[in-house]
């Protein structure tokens, strides 16, 4: 059992992927700094020299550098309290943004970063305004792996791991390749209103298939007494985040800039399209391949 715990890293290592609620569905929520039982984490800033290595390394090394670089201390709130023997669970579809789409997305992010302060790259603590000052660094940042969540990020007991992974593989192993259209900019806020996210949502192609996959994950969660996903899921990838509930200012900035870009013919209805290639499950520091389609 000790060896199993060691392979999954520190217990209750919380993911950066908070539970998200659509901004439009929670207009009356009051932003909070956390609920009782939540833990605040103050992250010390690593040396500035780490950022300089991004431009001179390969993509994989660049992503590692992006993961640890920060120029400011950011206080976060855990999704759940630290409990020895618990591991953060996250089931998701990995997504990579195509080269051409990165240019359009970068254009929008630069404009939004100039209007809304204190935005950070998702899964890291890198100020977006710093990345926007260097096209190469921003390109590397958008070359990272993004995630479509298929279930809530919740704590999992060590004795449940093998059973949960096995059941997920049974439920999700048979899947055909399908297309996912990311066609809408949207702002989401987590359940506690402690963080806001600027995201790209899927509302057309791929929505039906992902909804079926979420239902399958829900069935496995229920068998392990874990909370199910949202009743009406809205599949998306999150690009940047900010502390607190800033849905009004962030949504206003995005909508305003998109309107300007559309007037100039710079924005397409479809932001980008990606092929579904598999599902992964991260538990603690260990990632399990639930299903993977062969490369074409």
């Amino acid at each position: 059992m000790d060896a199993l715990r060691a392979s999954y890293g520190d217990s209750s290592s919380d993911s950066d992927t908070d539970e998200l609620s659509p901004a439009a569905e929670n207009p009356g929520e009051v932003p909070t700094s956390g609920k009782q039982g939540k833990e605040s984490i103050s992250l010390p800033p690593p040396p500035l020299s780490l950022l300089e290595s991004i431009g001179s390394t390969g993509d994989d090394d660049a992503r590692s550098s992006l993961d640890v670089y920060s120029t400011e201390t950011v206080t976060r709130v855990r999704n759940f309290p630290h409990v020895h023997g618990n591991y953060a669970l996250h089931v998701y579809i990995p997504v990579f943004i195509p080269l051409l789409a990165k240019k359009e997305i970068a254009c929008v992010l630069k404009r939004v970063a100039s209007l809304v302060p204190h935005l950070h790259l998702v899964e890291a603590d890198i100020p977006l305004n710093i990345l926007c000052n260097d096209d190469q660094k921003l390109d590397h940042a958008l070359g990272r792996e993004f995630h479509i969540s298929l279930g809530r990020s919740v704590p999992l007991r060590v004795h449940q791991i093998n059973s949960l992974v096995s059941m997920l593989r049974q439920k999700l192993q048979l899947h055909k390749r399908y297309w996912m259209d990311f066609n809408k900019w949207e702002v989401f806020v987590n359940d506690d209103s402690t963080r806001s996210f600027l995201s790209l949502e899927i509302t057309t192609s791929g929505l039906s298939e992902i909804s079926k996959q979420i239902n399958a994950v829900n069935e496995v969660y229920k068998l392990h007494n874990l909370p199910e996903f949202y009743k009406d899921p809205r599949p998306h990838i999150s690009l940047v985040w900010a502390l607190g509930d800033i849905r009004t200012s962030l949504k206003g900035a995005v909508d305003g800039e998109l309107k300007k870009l559309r007037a100039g013919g710079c924005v397409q209805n479809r932001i980008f399209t990606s092929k579904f290639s598999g599902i992964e499950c991260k538990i603690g520091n260990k990632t399990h391949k639930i299903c993977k389609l062969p490369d074409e």
Side-chain angles (χ1 to χ4, degrees):
M1 186 66 75
D2 290 340
L4 180 60
R5 289 194 182 102
S7 69
Y8 285 89
D10 295 334
S11 57
S12 291
S13 296
D14 201 4
S15 168
D16 258 354
T17 307
D18 286 315
E19 303 310 322
L20 307 183
S21 301
E25 294 181 4
N26 300 282
E29 288 187 19
V30 178
T32 65
S33 58
K35 291 185 178 181
Q36 186 176 2
K38 302 280 183 175
E39 299 181 15
S40 294
I41 309 171
S42 183
L43 304 176
L48 297 178
S49 59
L50 286 175
L51 185 61
E52 300 305 319
S53 65
I54 294 177
S56 59
T57 59
D59 283 350
D60 291 339
D61 291 336
R63 290 170 194 152
S64 297
S65 299
L66 287 169
D67 285 337
V68 299
Y69 173 74
S70 176
T71 60
E72 57 188 63
T73 299
V74 179
T75 300
R76 305 227 210 123
V77 177
R78 287 181 180 270
N79 288 350
F80 39 83
H82 173 86
V83 176
H84 182 68
N86 282 4
Y87 296 87
L89 165 66
H90 185 208
V91 184
Y92 58 88
I93 299 172
V95 174
F96 289 94
I97 300 174
L99 180 61
L100 293 178
K102 285 197 290 184
K103 295 181 180 180
E104 179 180 317
I105 292 170
C107 180
V108 175
L109 292 182
K110 286 180 180 180
R111 290 172 177 262
V112 172
S114 69
L115 298 172
V116 183
H118 309 306
L119 297 177
H120 296 77
L121 181 71
V122 77
E123 297 290 349
D125 298 319
I126 308 171
L128 182 60
N129 61 336
I130 289 181
L131 288 175
C132 290
N133 290 332
D134 188 308
D135 289 341
Q136 187 177 21
K137 293 181 178 68
L138 182 57
D139 183 73
H140 280 310
L142 294 177
R144 293 156 54 90
E145 179 181 282
F146 295 91
H147 301 150
I148 301 173
S149 294
L150 300 180
R152 290 182 181 270
S153 295
V154 294
L156 184 70
R157 298 292 296 174
V158 66
H159 68 271
Q160 297 178 301
I161 292 174
N162 289 339
S163 171
L164 181 131
V165 171
S166 177
M167 288 186 183
L168 286 175
R169 286 173 173 161
Q170 290 175 7
K171 290 281 188 182
L172 297 166
Q173 63 180 337
L174 299 178
H175 279 286
K176 295 181 179 179
R177 193 179 300 276
Y178 61 86
W179 289 96
M180 302 177 290
D181 282 350
F182 293 85
N183 62 337
K184 182 182 180 184
W185 288 87
E186 185 57 272
V187 176
F188 292 87
V189 178
N190 67 351
D191 287 345
D192 296 326
S193 295
T194 57
R195 285 210 279 175
S196 302
F197 297 81
L198 178 57
S199 308
L200 299 178
E201 186 179 2
I202 296 172
T203 65
T204 53
S205 179
L207 178 60
S208 175
E209 291 86 349
I210 295 173
S211 296
K212 292 176 182 177
Q213 292 168 338
I214 289 173
N215 289 336
V217 173
N218 276 339
E219 291 179 17
V220 176
Y221 270 42
K222 282 192 291 185
L223 292 173
H224 292 81
N225 295 317
L226 299 175
E228 297 179 53
F229 207 45
Y230 296 103
K231 183 178 180 181
D232 298 310
R234 295 175 62 179
H236 62 274
I237 60 171
S238 292
L239 301 177
V240 297
W241 64 272
L243 287 174
D245 182 345
I246 63 165
R247 72 188 78 192
T248 301
S249 60
L250 188 53
K251 181 73 171 173
V254 173
D255 289 347
E257 293 309 314
L258 289 177
K259 184 176 181 180
K260 294 177 185 177
L261 291 171
R262 288 193 182 100
C266 299
V267 176
Q268 305 296 322
N269 290 331
R270 177 189 298 165
I271 302 165
F272 75 91
T273 298
S274 177
K275 283 184 179 179
F276 167 76
S277 60
I279 296 172
E280 296 181 359
C281 170
K282 186 174 182 180
I283 303 174
N285 294 330
K286 190 171 182 178
T287 300
H288 300 265
K289 300 289 185 182
I290 301 302
C291 76
K292 181 174 176 60
L293 301 183
D295 294 332
E296 294 182 343

